[in-house]
Amino acid sequence: MSPLLPYRLARTRNRTSRATLEGDTVVIRLAGGMPAAQEHRHIEILLKRMAKVQARNQKKILIDPFRVILSGETILDVPVLDTAKRRFLVAWGNSLSGRLRGGIWFVKKPTDISEKTFHRFLWRLISISERGAMEQKVREINRSIFGFDISKTGLRFMKVRWGSCSPKGIINLNTALLFLPEEILDYIIFHELSHLKHPNHSPYFWNEVAVAMPDFRERMKQLKKYRLPQF
Ligand SMILES: [Zn+2]
């Protein structure tokens, strides 16, 4: 039996309750109109469920490329696409800033910044500098396999999804994919591109993916071994 986690409670007018994890804390958005006695029991059930989810999560590999910088290191080479590396140099400064010069991110960090804000900022910087390379990769795969119309590829850190695709041909990829094995990244790109033809997860959609990438199920399984940082 996993121990129960600390939680934060918000009462809503929703019909159903929702529980999510923020780090080690369970955030419960409780359905409205519940008698107090039932509420207590309900919270307990949700906490038990989330303890199981978290135990499962902890067995996964955390994608956390900036940990050494967050722990106080001032220089870091982050591996990015195609065996390239992106260097970060961190110095104290009056305000938070990042400047890309000669392929290196020069980061200024104020003393009073929270880890959360700084972490978010680092993910934003790497998203900016690697977007072009990612867009090119998506275009190459599209050209050689699918031949759809894509308008643009966005790259940003997302807490809960690996990618998305809009009917207007905009593909959004999670920056965290930069740090996964290439066969997994390719699977996500194939997946999102296939949505340009089938904007759903119908059998037609999965058939589109399977024709282009026969071993996609194996890659999906590999993807499940990783988890995203929560901040
Ligand atoms: Zn999908």
Side-chain angles (χ1 to χ4, degrees), residues 163 191-192 195 200-201 205-206:
H191 181 120
E192 297 309 333
H195 275 315
N200 48 42
H201 290 127
F205 165 81
W206 288 113

Side-chain angles (χ1 to χ4, degrees), residues 142 146 148-151 165-171 190-199 205:
N142 183 51
F146 298 97
F148 298 141
D149 287 332
I150 354 178
S151 57
C165 168
S166 87
K168 287 183 181 157
I170 300 169
I171 307 265
F190 275 59
H191 181 120
E192 297 309 333
L193 284 171
S194 299
H195 275 315
L196 290 172
K197 192 159 168 193
H198 306 282
F205 165 81

Side-chain angles (χ1 to χ4, degrees), residues 131 135 138-139 149-154 168-172:
R131 195 188 74 85
E135 177 150 48
V138 171
R139 286 196 187 281
D149 287 332
I150 354 178
S151 57
K152 104 181 198 203
T153 299
K168 287 183 181 157
I170 300 169
I171 307 265
N172 272 308

